[in-house]
Amino acid sequence: MTGPLLSLSGLTVDFSVGDGVVHAVRGVDLDVNHGEVVGLVGESGSGKSVTMLGLLGLLAPNARVGGSALFDGTEILGLTGKPLRALRGGRIGMIFQDPMTSLNPVLTIGRQLAEAIEAHQPTLTGKRVRARVQELLEMVSIPNAAERIAAYPHELSGGMRQRVVIAMALANEPELLIADEPTTALDVTIQAQILDVLADLRQRTNTAMVIITHDLGLVAGVADRVNVMYAGRVVERAEVDEIFHKHQHPYTAGLLRCLPRLDRRGIDLDPIGGAPPRLDRLPEGCAFAPRCRAAIDECLVRDPMLRMVGASVVACHRAPDAVASLTGAGA
Amino acid sequence: MTGSTSEGVLPGEVQTGSETPLLRVRDLVKSFPVRGGVGRRGKSFVQAVAGVSFDLSRGETLSLVGESGCGKSTTARCVVRILDPTSGSVEFDGIDLNGLSADDLRRSRRRFQMVFQDPQASLNPRMTIGQTLSEPLHIHGVDPAESRDRIRELMSLVQLRDGDLDRYPHQFSGGQRQRIGIVRALVLRPELIALDEPVSALDVSIQAEIIRLLERLRDQFGLAYLFIAHDLSVVRHLSDQVAVMYLGTIVESGSNSDVYDNSAHPYTQALLAAAPIPDPRIERTRPRIVLAGDPPSPINPPTGCRFRTRCWKAQPRCAEEEPVLADPGIGHLVACHYPEASNVITSRPDRPIGGAL
Ligand SMILES: Nc1ncnc2c1ncn2[C@@H]1O[C@H](COP(=O)(O)OP(=O)(O)O)[C@@H](O)[C@H]1O
Ligand code: SF4
Ligand SMILES: [Mg+2]
């Protein structure tokens, strides 16, 4: 195995709106290695989805994508037509929050799975396709798969639909799965089922995965490495244990201090305060500075670059002292 | 002692003798007609709430938890009389709301209010915040000067400015709109507030702000909360008492620590085991319980124990006999024929718990 499977560098996404420009993604560097699970977390609007949609060419026409995205060493930004379609649903599988964005309401799930396979493997015989459909439904543990093949999406529960979407994403044995809030719309016991299906598949196939979520508890359970995004940038990246126990960025610390805990009662919740900046009117300096309790004068004028501090890669002028300086503040 | 049934002490029930609980709900049932359904009389019904009983004391927080469709919102709506119950009783401060005349019910209403998940949908987009907030005060005959003072005081308590009163709902963020929803629930100085998923739609930092605000207001005004949520960590943080619902019934209830540290119903255990903890070291060693299948439709609930179709412990008895909510000798109530109390959150599994798919 050589370099990373996916390597983003300086990825930018700008949306032109009316008389302004929304800088939704502002230079994201991010690697995904073969077989690894990478978490992408942050508040809503931080650019998690747009980053991934941008590299897949799935954004609205008012978007302009810049920078570079190497997939298995080949540049994929700017791909169009057939090569792009071959990648999406082929070597890269996608799972979105709402399964209905991926499913056609008027086709049976068997038909849709067959089409997903045929689109990428046109030479397979009908018999082989049917066998593969059956196999995929069993892989995602859909009970009575033989019967469900004839069902329409609306006849299935939300959890079952999401399993079908996962089966579709896996149809062509992708090397990378991109899952954007795949369980956010589901109840917690159904979420557990879906995560179980994904964990099981990853063990069998060694597929790499990017999981986008706002749920820090969820990434704690599934990710190997975590990227924390804020206002269109990755502000911290580390192994999952380090993100939770040795983080260096005040924003990462802030997110974790907001969380009520299942395993402890009576903890002090410590909200970050304020709100993320408008992406069409970014402040000078560090985008987090207006909300940051560790901010110093420099933070207001100079934008911090990502650098290695301890076990993290972090964009903060005050690292490694930033998080220690927060203790006791505001709480 | 009043209110005890043969099944034992009900969730949240006051056990100190004479004091009446603020809220007493008994055998609450709410059914809805099902469109296109065919029953014996040409129409069929779904029991969204199928016989729920609990007490809530002044100043306390009781949370109803469970997955979507389990009947928690419907229960809350019946309590604050947005919906009329099909049967059963809701007593507020000793008064049976069913027995009240329309006028008396209207007067009582100011004592129990509701906060919704989506404040956007519950605020009139064409009214300024000031108009929205003074409307209930006007209806209840509070004089205008007094109304203005109350609104000002509450606005500053939730950290909104007086100038915000002249603005419209769309000019606020989600968190601010939720603060406005809370002020609206508070203007009539209620004793009980039912909160239906009030923080579910918010980002974690705003969620933490609203949770802290709710705690502060509860202490300051001695409010009782009937809190509806699916997030078990939020519920653990906020609740004194917890009732776990499944398909329209309460399957387990007790104090916060009874339910979280010593759960005995397999469904409660599955919920707790599935709720994530933001600590990878804990996540790696926690017991996993993965339930089979989806919750069945409440239109046609399973016979016997409603949970049996997803339960890894189900025995023939579970299909025949509905378990009653009772104390199996652990100090809180469980509706299960085979309860086994354990701490599924922190215990390392020495043997596998639960059923695989
Ligand atoms: N078509 C569009 N036009 C203008 N802005 C957009 C468009 N699509 C997304 N955005 C903006 O991009 C930013 C990042 O959004 P998103 O990636 O969806 O965040 P996340 O997934 O982290 O919640 C948001 O501020 C959003 O409003
Ligand atoms: S660079 Fe400054 S403002 Fe930004 S996170 Fe670090 S300390 Fe805070
Ligand atoms: Mg998103």
Side-chain angles (χ1 to χ4, degrees), chain A residues 43-44 157 187-190 193 217-218 220 241 244-245 255 258-263 265 267 269 271-273, chain B residues 67-68 203 205 209 212 233 236-237 239 256 271-272 274 276-282 284 291 293-294 310 345:
Chain A
E43 287 166 287
S44 50
S157 67
D187 279 315
V188 63
T189 65
I190 309 299
Q193 292 173 354
L218 196 153
D241 283 38
F244 284 86
H245 296 291
L255 284 177
C258 291
L259 301 179
R261 296 276 300 232
L262 184 75
D263 54 339
R265 205 189 165 191
I267 53 162
L269 300 186
I272 298 171
Chain B
E67 296 175 280
S68 43
D203 267 315
S205 181
E209 288 176 14
R212 287 189 37 152
S233 303
R236 163 142 242 192
H237 186 85
S239 319
N256 186 307
L271 278 182
L272 293 175
I277 296 176
D279 184 334
R281 293 173 192 159
I282 296 175
R284 277 195 286 271
L291 292 178
D294 292 300
R310 298 175 80 199
I345 297 176

Side-chain angles (χ1 to χ4, degrees), chain B residues 35-57:
Chain B
R35 216 160 45 101
V38 182
R40 255 172 310 175
R41 272 167 244 105
K43 212 178 192 184
S44 62
F45 288 87
V46 52
Q47 276 199 354
V49 179
V52 156
S53 302
F54 58 85
D55 283 356
L56 173 56
S57 308

Side-chain angles (χ1 to χ4, degrees), chain A residues 60-84:
Chain A
N62 67 331
R64 215 183 55 233
V65 183
S68 157
L70 299 179
F71 183 72
D72 205 8
T74 307
E75 181 62 52
I76 58 170
L77 286 193
L79 282 187
T80 52
K82 213 170 156 198
L84 182 59

